[in-house]
Each structure stands twice: as C-alpha cells, then as structure tokens.
C-alpha cells in the first residue's frame, strides 16, 4: 500500500510510517527551521507560492528524509512554504513522470534518489522519462549503503552472512525499495562477489521494507543509514558492513565491505534536486544558490552526520557528470546480474 505524506517548511509535525520515524523527522525539522529562521528575503517574482518537492518513495527512507530536511531549511530561504509530496512506486517512474509533466515554472521539483535516476532508465522497456527530461539543480545528501540484518539472524559479520548463505542456499531473503533499486543491485553485487544466492523481495520504498525487516518477514536489506539508525541504536537491527570506502562517523565500529574482504561491493547513494528540463534559467539559478546556502550551512551538515549521511553539495555541472558516470557504471552491473524490469 502506498503511503502519502506532506509537510511544509513551517510545520513542526511530520507524518511518517512509524511514530519513531515521525519523532526523529520532526526533531530534525524543528532544528533546521530554527537554524535558518530570519534568512528569508522578500522579492518579486519567483517564488510567490508554495514549492512542491515530489519524492519517488514512501515516507520513512533516506530520500524522504532528504526532502524533509531540505524543505524545512529551504522554506525560510525562499520565503515560501516547501511541501513534500510522496509518490512512491513504479521504480521511481510515478514521481519522475509527474514532475516531467508538470508546468516548467519551478514550483514542482523532483527530490531524486540515485538508484532510480541512474538504474530505472536501464530497466524500463517502455520509457516514461529520460534523465535528459530534467535539469540538475544540486546534490543534497550522499550516503553509502549499509548491510543490515534482523536481530534474530544468527550472523554477526559479513563473513558469517556469506557462510550462512552458502550453508542455506536460497533460504535468505533480502528486501529492497523496489525492483532495480540500488538496494536490489547492491544485493545482486554481493551475490556475485560472495558466490551465494538469496531471494529478492521488492517493496515500494525503504519505509515498508524496514517495517518487514523489523517484523522478521525478511532477513536483511541494504540501504543508507538514516532510517535504520534508531533501530540499530535500540538493538533491534544489526549492521554487518558499510558499502563505502570509509567507515561512517555514526557507526565507527562497523567495518567497510573492503575491510570485510569484499572490496568490489561498493555502493553509495546520492539524493539530489532536479527540475523539469524547461524551467527558466533565472529560476534554476535562484534554486541553485539557495540550495547551496542550505546544504553548506553547518547546522544542516551536522544533522546529516547525525543521521548517517553527508551533506554533499554539488552544483548542476558536477551533478550532471555524476549522473553520466553512474549510468555507465551501473549498466555493467545490471547486465552482469541480468536484472530486468517487472
């Protein structure tokens, strides 16, 4: 079932899939709104009404968290409310299609997840959109994937997981935020590198996948740290490894996949803002400048670190180059794994 959630830049209550996630997001929202209070400046023209950030996932995952952090901080800078509109499903195609068809006036933007932006186009037979249908504004957050298992699974390290999978072929199942998502491809990458076979269980976003992981319906998942942190800290989930080149400051005792013996299992997600291709340059330029102000603010950067992510501003050109490189890199993994669209 799809979850729909909205928030504004002045709100202090955030709707999410769980009370815990709601409280955490609300705390982040209040802190960021306070940090940016008083920075708005009045001007004619854009924006003169609320701006909507369309999110391609259900509430509760890092894409949703990125959008809500940005909305709360960007609203005071823009001088208008910023609304988060969750349109999960379809491997991100529902949200991307909606933004592509929106009036190109800068009032409907896409808070995009890298897995959807550079993997979904490789899988979709009847394409509803292309990366060229959007112009990059800025990257907001970046985060490596973590490999996280339910508390009852009898493994404590990545080596344990591989050994368990080999001893029980086809028994382990892993959740993802959808077929062809970065979590799905990371799972396929681990299968290739570990010489194991697991069962893939796709969901419509990280939030629903997380709930079934907590409930024991699935054994493990891959994802960025923010939505998992409260449950890791509460001892309800166990992290085996970080799929990046460095350990996370929020999980200093968790080794990287390279340290655990699997250096080729390397996957980092990014969460970036895009506009429809024909939004006027003056509007895009203002958004670029204002998002840079937000992401480079120390308060925003600290909140990102606390959630297990990095506030990683990249402007339009570096972001465009990142998209191009990732499309080429992931095309090889998708082909090798024979991943196909539903």
């Amino acid at each position: 079932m799809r979850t729909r959630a909205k928030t504004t830049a002045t709100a202090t209550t955030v709707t999410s899939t769980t009370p815990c996630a709601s409280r955490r997001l609300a705390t982040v929202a209040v802190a960021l709104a306070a940090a940016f209070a008083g920075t708005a400046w009045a001007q004619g023209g854009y924006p003169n009404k609320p701006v909507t950030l369309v999110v391609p996932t259900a509430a509760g995952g890092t894409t949703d968290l990125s959008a809500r952090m940005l909305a709360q901080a960007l609203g005071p800078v823009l001088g208008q409310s910023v609304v988060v509109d969750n349109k999960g499903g379809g491997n991100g195609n529902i949200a991307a299609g909606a933004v592509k068809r929106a009036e190109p006036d800068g009032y409907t933007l896409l808070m995009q997840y890298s897995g959807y932006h550079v993997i979904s186009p490789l899988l979709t037979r009847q394409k509803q959109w292309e990366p060229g249908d959007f112009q990059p504004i800025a990257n907001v957050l970046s985060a490596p994937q973590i490999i996280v298992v339910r508390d009852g699974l009898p493994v404590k390290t990545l080596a344990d997981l591989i050994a368990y999978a080999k001893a029980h072929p086809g028994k382990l199942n892993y959740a993802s935020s959808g077929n062809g998502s970065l979590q799905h491809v990371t799972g396929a990458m681990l299968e290739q590198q570990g010489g194991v076979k697991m069962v893939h269980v796709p969901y419509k976003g990280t939030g629903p996948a997380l709930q079934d992981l907590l409930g024991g319906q699935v054994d493990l998942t891959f994802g960025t740290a923010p939505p998992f942190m409260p449950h890791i800290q509460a001892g309800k989930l166990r992290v085996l490894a970080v799929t990046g080149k460095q350990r996370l400051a929020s999980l200093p005792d968790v080794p990287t996949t390279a340290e655990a013996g699997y250096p080729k299992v390397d996957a980092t997600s990014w969460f970036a803002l895009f506009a429809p291709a024909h939004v006027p340059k003056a509007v895009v330029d203002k958004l670029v400048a204002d998002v840079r102000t937000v992401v480079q603010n120390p308060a925003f950067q600290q909140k990102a670190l606390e959630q297990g992510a990095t506030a990683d501003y990249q402007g339009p050109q570096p972001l465009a180059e990142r998209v191009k490189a990732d499309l080429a890199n992931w095309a090889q993994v998708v082909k090798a794994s024979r991943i196909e669209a539903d």
Side-chain angles (χ1 to χ4, degrees):
M1 180 177 67
R2 185 181 66 180
T3 303
R4 183 179 179 88
K6 292 189 177 183
T7 188
T8 67
T10 56
T12 57
T13 301
V14 181
T15 300
S16 186
T17 53
T18 66
C20 179
S22 179
R23 288 193 297 273
R24 179 168 56 88
L25 289 171
T27 300
V28 170
V30 171
L32 290 174
F36 285 91
T39 61
W41 52 282
Q43 66 161 23
Y46 179 86
N48 56 24
K49 62 180 182 179
V51 174
T52 297
L53 304 186
V54 179
V55 179
T57 66
T62 306
T63 313
D64 179 66
L65 173 65
S66 301
R68 292 174 188 277
M69 285 179 62
L70 181 62
Q72 289 291 337
L74 185 60
V77 180
L78 286 174
Q80 287 288 340
S81 297
V82 180
V83 178
V84 172
D85 185 6
N86 295 81
K87 292 184 181 296
N91 294 340
N93 290 319
I94 294 173
V99 176
K100 174 189 173 181
R101 294 188 299 271
E103 187 72 23
D105 53 11
Y107 289 98
T108 304
L109 306 172
L110 180 65
M111 187 69 222
Q112 184 62 299
Y113 156 55
S114 58
Y116 288 153
H117 205 70
V118 299
I119 296 178
S120 290
L122 302 172
L123 300 174
T124 307
R125 296 187 182 93
Q126 296 182 338
K127 298 188 184 301
Q128 303 174 41
W129 60 276
E130 299 276 1
D133 291 325
F134 304 95
Q135 51 184 317
I137 295 174
N139 191 67
V140 177
L141 296 183
S142 294
Q145 304 277 304
I146 59 174
I147 302 174
V148 58
V149 301
R150 59 181 176 83
D151 184 51
L153 194 68
V155 300
K156 296 187 181 300
T157 67
L158 185 55
D160 289 346
L161 180 69
I162 297 299
Y164 186 89
K166 288 181 176 179
H168 304 84
K171 181 179 179 180
L172 281 178
N173 56 51
Y174 72 95
S176 81
S177 63
N179 188 59
S181 65
L182 188 57
Q183 291 99 320
H184 180 192
V185 178
T186 303
M189 186 187 299
L190 181 62
E191 287 180 310
Q192 289 177 20
Q193 298 302 316
V196 298
K197 185 63 179 175
M198 300 182 290
V199 178
H200 172 230
V201 183
Y203 289 81
K204 292 183 178 180
T206 300
L210 171 58
Q211 291 309 303
D212 273 7
L213 181 63
L214 289 167
Q217 281 79 28
V218 289
D219 297 312
L220 69 146
T221 193
F222 308 84
T224 49
F228 300 99
M229 289 301 291
H231 310 291
I232 294 167
Q233 292 163 351
K236 296 179 181 179
L237 298 175
R238 186 181 308 115
V239 187
L240 304 185
V242 175
T243 68
K245 307 219 180 269
Q246 296 180 333
R247 295 191 181 196
L248 285 172
S250 55
L251 295 168
D253 297 327
V254 177
T256 66
T257 45
E259 291 173 323
Y262 296 90
K264 293 185 178 180
V265 181
D266 187 352
T268 296
S269 299
W270 45 262
F271 306 88
L273 192 64
F274 291 83
H278 300 295
V279 170
K281 184 177 184 301
V283 172
V284 170
D285 287 347
K286 173 167 177 52
L287 286 166
V288 169
D290 288 352
V291 173
R292 180 173 59 242
T293 296
V294 166
V295 179
Q296 293 183 342
N297 184 278
F300 190 93
Q301 294 176 343
Q302 181 59 36
K303 287 298 175 184
L305 285 174
E306 291 172 0
Q307 301 302 314
T310 301
D312 180 21
Y313 175 81
Q314 293 179 336
Q317 187 58 38
L319 178 55
E321 292 172 357
R322 191 173 192 176
V323 169
K324 183 179 179 180
D326 279 3
L327 278 167
N329 291 338
W330 287 113
Q332 298 176 21
V333 177
V334 168
K335 182 178 180 180
S337 301
R338 298 181 180 179
I339 297 173
E340 297 181 353
D342 291 328

PDB file of all heavy atoms in Angstrom, residues 5-31:
ATOM      1  N   ALA A   5       2.563  11.375   2.143  1.00  0.00           N
ATOM      2  CA  ALA A   5       2.859  12.258   3.259  1.00  0.00           C
ATOM      3  C   ALA A   5       3.225  13.620   2.738  1.00  0.00           C
ATOM      4  O   ALA A   5       3.849  13.764   1.698  1.00  0.00           O
ATOM      5  CB  ALA A   5       4.015  11.702   4.086  1.00  0.00           C
ATOM      6  N   LYS A   6       2.839  14.674   3.453  1.00  0.00           N
ATOM      7  CA  LYS A   6       3.174  16.034   3.066  1.00  0.00           C
ATOM      8  C   LYS A   6       3.637  16.802   4.284  1.00  0.00           C
ATOM      9  O   LYS A   6       3.233  16.544   5.396  1.00  0.00           O
ATOM     10  CB  LYS A   6       1.973  16.759   2.445  1.00  0.00           C
ATOM     11  CG  LYS A   6       1.560  16.183   1.082  1.00  0.00           C
ATOM     12  CD  LYS A   6       0.514  17.059   0.418  1.00  0.00           C
ATOM     13  CE  LYS A   6       0.165  16.525  -0.961  1.00  0.00           C
ATOM     14  NZ  LYS A   6      -0.799  17.394  -1.660  1.00  0.00           N
ATOM     15  N   THR A   7       4.492  17.795   4.049  1.00  0.00           N
ATOM     16  CA  THR A   7       4.920  18.682   5.111  1.00  0.00           C
ATOM     17  C   THR A   7       5.190  20.045   4.530  1.00  0.00           C
ATOM     18  O   THR A   7       5.336  20.184   3.329  1.00  0.00           O
ATOM     19  CB  THR A   7       6.176  18.149   5.819  1.00  0.00           C
ATOM     20  OG1 THR A   7       6.438  18.964   6.951  1.00  0.00           O
ATOM     21  CG2 THR A   7       7.382  18.167   4.922  1.00  0.00           C
ATOM     22  N   THR A   8       5.263  21.072   5.350  1.00  0.00           N
ATOM     23  CA  THR A   8       5.615  22.397   4.871  1.00  0.00           C
ATOM     24  C   THR A   8       6.787  22.889   5.657  1.00  0.00           C
ATOM     25  O   THR A   8       7.164  22.363   6.690  1.00  0.00           O
ATOM     26  CB  THR A   8       4.439  23.385   5.060  1.00  0.00           C
ATOM     27  OG1 THR A   8       4.248  23.572   6.453  1.00  0.00           O
ATOM     28  CG2 THR A   8       3.158  22.866   4.429  1.00  0.00           C
ATOM     29  N   ALA A   9       7.376  23.992   5.153  1.00  0.00           N
ATOM     30  CA  ALA A   9       8.596  24.499   5.770  1.00  0.00           C
ATOM     31  C   ALA A   9       8.353  25.097   7.134  1.00  0.00           C
ATOM     32  O   ALA A   9       9.287  25.383   7.862  1.00  0.00           O
ATOM     33  CB  ALA A   9       9.236  25.537   4.846  1.00  0.00           C
ATOM     34  N   THR A  10       7.103  25.329   7.496  1.00  0.00           N
ATOM     35  CA  THR A  10       6.823  25.885   8.815  1.00  0.00           C
ATOM     36  C   THR A  10       6.237  24.851   9.754  1.00  0.00           C
ATOM     37  O   THR A  10       5.902  25.151  10.893  1.00  0.00           O
ATOM     38  CB  THR A  10       5.849  27.069   8.687  1.00  0.00           C
ATOM     39  OG1 THR A  10       4.672  26.626   8.010  1.00  0.00           O
ATOM     40  CG2 THR A  10       6.492  28.201   7.889  1.00  0.00           C
ATOM     41  N   ALA A  11       6.094  23.625   9.272  1.00  0.00           N
ATOM     42  CA  ALA A  11       5.468  22.602  10.109  1.00  0.00           C
ATOM     43  C   ALA A  11       6.431  22.105  11.162  1.00  0.00           C
ATOM     44  O   ALA A  11       7.620  22.076  10.975  1.00  0.00           O
ATOM     45  CB  ALA A  11       5.005  21.430   9.240  1.00  0.00           C
ATOM     46  N   THR A  12       5.871  21.675  12.283  1.00  0.00           N
ATOM     47  CA  THR A  12       6.694  21.075  13.325  1.00  0.00           C
ATOM     48  C   THR A  12       6.317  19.627  13.550  1.00  0.00           C
ATOM     49  O   THR A  12       6.875  18.965  14.390  1.00  0.00           O
ATOM     50  CB  THR A  12       6.549  21.849  14.648  1.00  0.00           C
ATOM     51  OG1 THR A  12       5.177  21.887  15.022  1.00  0.00           O
ATOM     52  CG2 THR A  12       7.069  23.258  14.495  1.00  0.00           C
ATOM     53  N   THR A  13       5.328  19.121  12.780  1.00  0.00           N
ATOM     54  CA  THR A  13       4.935  17.728  12.879  1.00  0.00           C
ATOM     55  C   THR A  13       5.054  17.107  11.506  1.00  0.00           C
ATOM     56  O   THR A  13       4.568  17.649  10.539  1.00  0.00           O
ATOM     57  CB  THR A  13       3.473  17.590  13.369  1.00  0.00           C
ATOM     58  OG1 THR A  13       3.376  18.226  14.636  1.00  0.00           O
ATOM     59  CG2 THR A  13       3.090  16.134  13.485  1.00  0.00           C
ATOM     60  N   VAL A  14       5.679  15.938  11.424  1.00  0.00           N
ATOM     61  CA  VAL A  14       5.913  15.282  10.157  1.00  0.00           C
ATOM     62  C   VAL A  14       5.242  13.919  10.181  1.00  0.00           C
ATOM     63  O   VAL A  14       5.380  13.174  11.138  1.00  0.00           O
ATOM     64  CB  VAL A  14       7.429  15.105   9.906  1.00  0.00           C
ATOM     65  CG1 VAL A  14       7.648  14.446   8.557  1.00  0.00           C
ATOM     66  CG2 VAL A  14       8.130  16.450   9.971  1.00  0.00           C
ATOM     67  N   THR A  15       4.502  13.597   9.110  1.00  0.00           N
ATOM     68  CA  THR A  15       3.854  12.306   9.012  1.00  0.00           C
ATOM     69  C   THR A  15       4.812  11.306   8.435  1.00  0.00           C
ATOM     70  O   THR A  15       5.484  11.572   7.457  1.00  0.00           O
ATOM     71  CB  THR A  15       2.615  12.404   8.088  1.00  0.00           C
ATOM     72  OG1 THR A  15       1.729  13.358   8.648  1.00  0.00           O
ATOM     73  CG2 THR A  15       1.916  11.062   7.990  1.00  0.00           C
ATOM     74  N   SER A  16       4.892  10.117   9.039  1.00  0.00           N
ATOM     75  CA  SER A  16       5.783   9.076   8.524  1.00  0.00           C
ATOM     76  C   SER A  16       5.123   7.742   8.755  1.00  0.00           C
ATOM     77  O   SER A  16       3.977   7.661   9.189  1.00  0.00           O
ATOM     78  CB  SER A  16       7.144   9.173   9.216  1.00  0.00           C
ATOM     79  OG  SER A  16       8.046   8.273   8.649  1.00  0.00           O
ATOM     80  N   THR A  17       5.871   6.686   8.497  1.00  0.00           N
ATOM     81  CA  THR A  17       5.287   5.353   8.591  1.00  0.00           C
ATOM     82  C   THR A  17       5.281   4.810  10.010  1.00  0.00           C
ATOM     83  O   THR A  17       4.571   3.875  10.303  1.00  0.00           O
ATOM     84  CB  THR A  17       6.058   4.385   7.671  1.00  0.00           C
ATOM     85  OG1 THR A  17       7.441   4.473   7.986  1.00  0.00           O
ATOM     86  CG2 THR A  17       5.844   4.746   6.222  1.00  0.00           C
ATOM     87  N   THR A  18       6.108   5.347  10.889  1.00  0.00           N
ATOM     88  CA  THR A  18       6.156   4.865  12.257  1.00  0.00           C
ATOM     89  C   THR A  18       6.256   6.040  13.210  1.00  0.00           C
ATOM     90  O   THR A  18       6.800   7.092  12.863  1.00  0.00           O
ATOM     91  CB  THR A  18       7.363   3.946  12.487  1.00  0.00           C
ATOM     92  OG1 THR A  18       8.558   4.716  12.364  1.00  0.00           O
ATOM     93  CG2 THR A  18       7.386   2.804  11.483  1.00  0.00           C
ATOM     94  N   PRO A  19       5.749   5.929  14.448  1.00  0.00           N
ATOM     95  CA  PRO A  19       5.894   7.017  15.425  1.00  0.00           C
ATOM     96  C   PRO A  19       7.337   7.385  15.664  1.00  0.00           C
ATOM     97  O   PRO A  19       7.678   8.546  15.821  1.00  0.00           O
ATOM     98  CB  PRO A  19       5.234   6.429  16.682  1.00  0.00           C
ATOM     99  CG  PRO A  19       4.284   5.394  16.170  1.00  0.00           C
ATOM    100  CD  PRO A  19       4.946   4.805  14.963  1.00  0.00           C
ATOM    101  N   CYS A  20       8.239   6.380  15.688  1.00  0.00           N
ATOM    102  CA  CYS A  20       9.659   6.651  15.934  1.00  0.00           C
ATOM    103  C   CYS A  20      10.227   7.521  14.829  1.00  0.00           C
ATOM    104  O   CYS A  20      10.910   8.511  15.073  1.00  0.00           O
ATOM    105  CB  CYS A  20      10.426   5.331  16.020  1.00  0.00           C
ATOM    106  SG  CYS A  20      12.198   5.573  16.300  1.00  0.00           S
ATOM    107  N   ALA A  21       9.930   7.127  13.566  1.00  0.00           N
ATOM    108  CA  ALA A  21      10.434   7.916  12.437  1.00  0.00           C
ATOM    109  C   ALA A  21       9.831   9.304  12.463  1.00  0.00           C
ATOM    110  O   ALA A  21      10.495  10.293  12.151  1.00  0.00           O
ATOM    111  CB  ALA A  21      10.094   7.210  11.119  1.00  0.00           C
ATOM    112  N   SER A  22       8.553   9.422  12.831  1.00  0.00           N
ATOM    113  CA  SER A  22       7.901  10.730  12.884  1.00  0.00           C
ATOM    114  C   SER A  22       8.578  11.645  13.881  1.00  0.00           C
ATOM    115  O   SER A  22       8.850  12.807  13.594  1.00  0.00           O
ATOM    116  CB  SER A  22       6.419  10.549  13.249  1.00  0.00           C
ATOM    117  OG  SER A  22       5.779  11.799  13.337  1.00  0.00           O
ATOM    118  N   ARG A  23       8.870  11.119  15.078  1.00  0.00           N
ATOM    119  CA  ARG A  23       9.525  11.947  16.096  1.00  0.00           C
ATOM    120  C   ARG A  23      10.911  12.376  15.640  1.00  0.00           C
ATOM    121  O   ARG A  23      11.332  13.515  15.844  1.00  0.00           O
ATOM    122  CB  ARG A  23       9.620  11.172  17.413  1.00  0.00           C
ATOM    123  CG  ARG A  23       8.276  10.998  18.125  1.00  0.00           C
ATOM    124  CD  ARG A  23       8.496  10.518  19.554  1.00  0.00           C
ATOM    125  NE  ARG A  23       9.125   9.205  19.599  1.00  0.00           N
ATOM    126  CZ  ARG A  23       8.432   8.073  19.566  1.00  0.00           C
ATOM    127  NH1 ARG A  23       7.123   8.093  19.465  1.00  0.00           N
ATOM    128  NH2 ARG A  23       9.068   6.914  19.635  1.00  0.00           N
ATOM    129  N   ARG A  24      11.649  11.455  15.001  1.00  0.00           N
ATOM    130  CA  ARG A  24      13.002  11.782  14.560  1.00  0.00           C
ATOM    131  C   ARG A  24      12.982  12.854  13.482  1.00  0.00           C
ATOM    132  O   ARG A  24      13.749  13.812  13.526  1.00  0.00           O
ATOM    133  CB  ARG A  24      13.665  10.514  14.022  1.00  0.00           C
ATOM    134  CG  ARG A  24      15.072  10.718  13.496  1.00  0.00           C
ATOM    135  CD  ARG A  24      15.744   9.372  13.261  1.00  0.00           C
ATOM    136  NE  ARG A  24      14.970   8.539  12.371  1.00  0.00           N
ATOM    137  CZ  ARG A  24      15.079   8.559  11.036  1.00  0.00           C
ATOM    138  NH1 ARG A  24      15.925   9.376  10.470  1.00  0.00           N
ATOM    139  NH2 ARG A  24      14.354   7.753  10.291  1.00  0.00           N
ATOM    140  N   LEU A  25      12.076  12.710  12.510  1.00  0.00           N
ATOM    141  CA  LEU A  25      11.999  13.697  11.443  1.00  0.00           C
ATOM    142  C   LEU A  25      11.522  15.041  11.970  1.00  0.00           C
ATOM    143  O   LEU A  25      11.989  16.097  11.546  1.00  0.00           O
ATOM    144  CB  LEU A  25      11.053  13.201  10.346  1.00  0.00           C
ATOM    145  CG  LEU A  25      11.588  12.037   9.503  1.00  0.00           C
ATOM    146  CD1 LEU A  25      10.484  11.492   8.615  1.00  0.00           C
ATOM    147  CD2 LEU A  25      12.769  12.469   8.662  1.00  0.00           C
ATOM    148  N   ALA A  26      10.596  15.035  12.923  1.00  0.00           N
ATOM    149  CA  ALA A  26      10.118  16.283  13.492  1.00  0.00           C
ATOM    150  C   ALA A  26      11.230  17.016  14.225  1.00  0.00           C
ATOM    151  O   ALA A  26      11.356  18.239  14.132  1.00  0.00           O
ATOM    152  CB  ALA A  26       8.953  16.006  14.446  1.00  0.00           C
ATOM    153  N   THR A  27      12.062  16.273  14.949  1.00  0.00           N
ATOM    154  CA  THR A  27      13.191  16.885  15.657  1.00  0.00           C
ATOM    155  C   THR A  27      14.157  17.543  14.680  1.00  0.00           C
ATOM    156  O   THR A  27      14.619  18.664  14.885  1.00  0.00           O
ATOM    157  CB  THR A  27      13.934  15.829  16.486  1.00  0.00           C
ATOM    158  OG1 THR A  27      13.022  15.271  17.427  1.00  0.00           O
ATOM    159  CG2 THR A  27      15.106  16.448  17.219  1.00  0.00           C
ATOM    160  N   VAL A  28      14.468  16.818  13.601  1.00  0.00           N
ATOM    161  CA  VAL A  28      15.344  17.381  12.575  1.00  0.00           C
ATOM    162  C   VAL A  28      14.714  18.632  11.980  1.00  0.00           C
ATOM    163  O   VAL A  28      15.381  19.652  11.781  1.00  0.00           O
ATOM    164  CB  VAL A  28      15.610  16.331  11.461  1.00  0.00           C
ATOM    165  CG1 VAL A  28      16.310  16.973  10.274  1.00  0.00           C
ATOM    166  CG2 VAL A  28      16.435  15.187  12.006  1.00  0.00           C
ATOM    167  N   ALA A  29      13.408  18.572  11.705  1.00  0.00           N
ATOM    168  CA  ALA A  29      12.725  19.694  11.081  1.00  0.00           C
ATOM    169  C   ALA A  29      12.770  20.943  11.946  1.00  0.00           C
ATOM    170  O   ALA A  29      13.073  22.043  11.475  1.00  0.00           O
ATOM    171  CB  ALA A  29      11.263  19.312  10.796  1.00  0.00           C
ATOM    172  N   VAL A  30      12.472  20.801  13.228  1.00  0.00           N
ATOM    173  CA  VAL A  30      12.466  21.950  14.130  1.00  0.00           C
ATOM    174  C   VAL A  30      13.857  22.572  14.228  1.00  0.00           C
ATOM    175  O   VAL A  30      14.021  23.796  14.166  1.00  0.00           O
ATOM    176  CB  VAL A  30      11.959  21.533  15.531  1.00  0.00           C
ATOM    177  CG1 VAL A  30      12.166  22.666  16.523  1.00  0.00           C
ATOM    178  CG2 VAL A  30      10.485  21.159  15.458  1.00  0.00           C
ATOM    179  N   ALA A  31      14.882  21.736  14.365  1.00  0.00           N
ATOM    180  CA  ALA A  31      16.241  22.247  14.498  1.00  0.00           C
ATOM    181  C   ALA A  31      16.673  23.014  13.255  1.00  0.00           C
ATOM    182  O   ALA A  31      17.283  24.085  13.339  1.00  0.00           O
ATOM    183  CB  ALA A  31      17.207  21.097  14.765  1.00  0.00           C
TER     184      ALA A  31
END
